[in-house]
Each structure stands twice: as C-alpha cells, then as structure tokens.
Amino acid sequence: MQIRSTQQTDARSHSFFAFSGGSLEEILAPLGAEQRQLAASNLPDMDALSKVGEITSLSLATADGSVQVVVAGLGDPADFQWERLRKVVGKAFKEWERLKSTLVAVHLTGLPEGLAATDAARTVAETTLLAAYRFDKYLSEKKPVVVDALDIVAVEDVSGATADGVVLAETTIFARDLVNEPANVLSPAKLAEAAEEAGKSYGFAVEVSGRERIAELGMKAYLEVSRASANEPKLIVMRYQGAPDRPEDIIGLVGKGLTYDSGGLSIKPNDGMLFMKCDMGGAAAVIGAMAAIAKLKPKANVTAVVAACENMIAGNAYRPGDIIQSMAGKSIFIGSTDAEGRLTLADAITYIIEHEKAAKVVDVATLTGAAIIALGHISTAVVTNDQDFYKQLETASQVTGEKVWQLPNFDEYKELIKHKTADLTNTGGRAAGTVTAGLFVGEFVQKKPWLHLDIAGTAFSDKAGEYAPAGGKGVGVRLLYQLVKLLEQ
Ligand code: BES
Ligand code: MN
Ligand code: ZN
C-alpha cells in the first residue's frame, strides 16, 4: 500500500474523525461546498458521530459523481489516548475494505487542542499498514487488500511524521512475518540471514557466529539447549551507534530466539507445541526494533543480541536432572528442558554485558505460559530491578499502546530458584512461574538496570486484534524503539 501525506487529494473516499464537542462544519471543511452541505444534512449530529468506535458512512451522489464519506468517532478529547485512535483506524480500515475503496483520504481536521496533526498522521499511517497486514504467502488463493493507497490530508506538512509511521509499521510487520514463518522454514540460520538483510537495508551492523565461536565464548548453557537440534545455533549480534560521543552509553537488547521449542526431553504435548514457532518472538522484536532505530536514528547507542537455536530431541540432548554450566560461571540444575529460554537468555545477557559493554539491559522473551495465565494476551509481563527504568517503559508503552504490567521481584521469590546441588535451578515450580523465570534471568544482569519483558501472551495470538490478524503481533518493535527514543540524550 502506498501512504502519502498531502494537502490535496483525488480520492473519492473521505474519512474524518469526530470528537465530542467538535464541529461538523469544521471537520468536513476539505469537501467542496455541495458535498459538504449534502454530508452535513445527511449525517447525524456530533454527539452520535463522536461516540468512541462509531463508524458512520454515507454515500453522496453529487454533480461530479459519487463520493463516500466515513466519520469515525473518537469520543471525549479529555480522555483521549493514542491507542484509541489506533483501534478506531482499525475499524475504519474494515469499513474502507467493505466499501471497496481503493484510494482513501483521511482528513486531519477538527483535531482538539494538544493533539498534533503530526502525531495523528504518524499513528494513522502506522495503523493502516498494520491493519492491512496478512500472512498469506503459503495460500495459493490470496484475498488481496482492496485499499492500495492512503492520502493523509492536513493543512500543515506532516510528511516527516507520516514517513516515520510507515517505518514503524514496516518494521513491526517484519517482526510479524518472522514470527509467522513456520519453524521448518525459519531455522536459526534463516533468522540470522533475515537479521543480516535487515541490517543491510536499514543500516545497522550484524555479526553472526556459529557453534565453534559460541563454544569459544563459553556460552555453555546456550549450547546445551541447542545440542539436540540438527540446525546449528547462531549467535546474532547487531549494533547501532547513534551517540558516538558517548560510546560507553550502550543500551543492550536481548531477544529470546528459539526458532522452535519442542520442550526437549521434557516434551510438550502436541497442543503445546503447535504454535512454538512463535518462540523467537523476542528475537523478532529486537531485530525489528534495530531496523526502526537504524532508520529513525535516535541519538543513542544500541546493541542487540539473539542466541538463536532450536530446542529439540536426540540422543545427545540435555536432560532433566543434569547440572550444566553457564557463561557467567553459575551452575544450573535442569528441572525441565522446557525451561530453555532462560538458559539462552542467561548467556546472551552475560555476553552483552561482558563483550558488548551494555550499561543497561532489556530482554524480551516468550518465556512462560504462566504469563498468559496471569495477563492473557493483553499485557506484557515485566520484571525489573530498576523502578525508574520501568517508568520509562510505561511512558513508551502509553505512546505505542503495547500494554505492560509489572510483577513483583521480592527476594522471597528468589528462594524458589535456588538448588541444593547447583547455584540455580531452571524451574521455580508452577507457582509464580513468570516471576521466578524473570528473576532467574535477573541473576545474570550483574546489577545493571534491567527490564525483563515476558511476551508469551502478547507476541502471538490465534485471535485477531483491532489492527492485527491472528498470528504474530510484532509486539515489542515499536515499544523498544520508543524506549530507546526516550533514553536519547
Ligand atoms: N516457550 C515456552 C513458553 C511459552 C508458552 C511461550 C506458551 C508462548 C506460549 C517456554 O520455553 C516454556 O516452555 N516454559 C515453560 C516453563 C516451565 C517448564 C517452568 C512453561 O511455561 O510451561
Ligand atoms: Mn520451553
Ligand atoms: Zn520456549
């Protein structure tokens, strides 16, 4: 789809936003006199039009052909949130499709005070592309998207913001594609290739290492997880330097990159395995975020690491009951080979701190089924050791609409991951599974400010959202970009 920002449009499908207390005259201003009058006399009043999520559409037969008018309700400006606009654009998109509009104009008229046309343009561009997303590459009969061009019409110049919105959508879609790609296609090597290609087209450096180098680095826990797979593990390191004058200020992003999680010898039942291609959702988030960051160029240094591998079964597989080593030198009792993500994250975090000199760490992982039990598919669960850092994440989350919710980090929970015969155990038991998994990862952050995002519920869902089909959601890309943007100095 083509997204343009313009002051003039040839579209015959015109969409407007209605806020309560706004004026219909004002929002319809871009229409010609005849159309405007016809529309105004046939539309209900602003109270009805502005109800949140209300989509009112009208076909006008005028002297020079018919035009379509769609009014989308955004409610009270006093409690406006950007996520409301996204949901409403998602609904409007469905209406455009129903009306078979190929060229749609969205007019940014009648915006209440404090709501910048640039921010609105960015959000409309972003959401329209996200709403139009399909994963249909394996279907021999595709249902193409009808809307193929969108004009964002504003009096002022919103071209920069529109272009930013396109980048944020594109990189989120890139992450969705990676998550949706089945594991027989997306091996660790393919994931690494995708990162390399993104590095080339968006402008960040990518370094990929195989088993030999991973062993040299001493990433023993990571190697254990990958051991039984026929596919070689790939350590993917991505670097972006946007603040060369402060080279020591490096934000480290770590994404869980299990291209498939069978559970290993602690094998999952079929239903548990069915969607485990999504277990690289954290990797998709950090690779997508690096792409957005490299393109939009915040003044910050960001390094991302993905310890990509597959958790499979073979005669050489690691076993429940094993005691393994980690790069940090802590021994780990294997309570379950299905608690593999935290093992790969432990080494990836040690690596990003010791070899990449990250001063802060954010890890993103489809880590626990317990996160889905606790928060469903609505919010990402967060564990942290730094309340100020968490506040920044919350601020970023309010911009992008990707909801986060903090879980406790009390020392009492840490007792659950101690073991009699090893420094740590990788299973804290069923109770508080998301907290103990997070705190296990936290054992490796060496007191750096750290955020742990468990996206098991939010990375993937078999239900469609307001502006996402069922499947991979691309969660984390925009959130991490926005967080980095906030940390820019
Ligand atoms: N990848 C899974 C977590 C997961 C579950 C992600 C459902 C997305 C949807 C993870 O590796 C896992 O298997 N976790 C175990 C941990 C347990 C063995 C301590 C779990 O949640 O059951
Ligand atoms: Mn697992
Ligand atoms: Zn897993």
Side-chain angles (χ1 to χ4, degrees), residues 380-444:
T380 291
V382 185
V383 178
T384 181
N385 62 0
D386 189 308
Q387 223 42 45
D388 291 337
F389 203 8
Y390 181 71
K391 284 286 162 217
Q392 290 170 313
L393 181 73
E394 264 190 331
T395 306
S397 151
Q398 275 146 18
V399 176
T400 71
E402 297 161 281
K403 293 184 171 59
V404 295
W405 199 259
Q406 187 180 4
L407 297 180
N409 62 1
F410 302 125
D411 282 341
E412 283 83 346
Y413 291 109
K414 293 185 189 159
E415 296 302 315
L416 301 173
I417 49 170
K418 288 191 176 148
H419 195 264
K420 284 191 283 297
T421 61
D423 298 330
L424 293 166
T425 168
N426 76 335
T427 46
R430 282 173 60 84
T434 305
V435 174
T436 54
L439 292 176
F440 180 98
V441 174
E443 288 296 311
F444 297 86

Side-chain angles (χ1 to χ4, degrees), residues 256 261 263 268 279 311 337-340:
K256 173 173 171 181
D261 178 13
K268 289 180 184 293
D279 216 14
N311 189 19
T337 61
D338 199 10
E340 83 299 336

Side-chain angles (χ1 to χ4, degrees), residues 93 146 207 300 321 389 486:
F93 179 80
V146 178
E207 195 182 318
F389 203 8
L486 272 175

Side-chain angles (χ1 to χ4, degrees), residues 446-464:
Q446 306 181 19
K447 303 224 159 65
K448 306 280 184 216
W450 158 72
L451 295 168
H452 164 71
L453 277 58
D454 192 331
I455 57 167
T458 47
F460 187 95
S461 158
D462 55 6
K463 287 206 179 67

Side-chain angles (χ1 to χ4, degrees), residues 168-191:
L168 291 168
E170 235 175 49
T171 52
T172 300
I173 284 169
F174 172 63
R176 286 180 181 178
D177 276 338
L178 288 175
V179 171
N180 287 332
E181 199 62 70
N184 60 321
V185 177
L186 195 88
S187 59
K190 276 281 162 20
L191 182 63

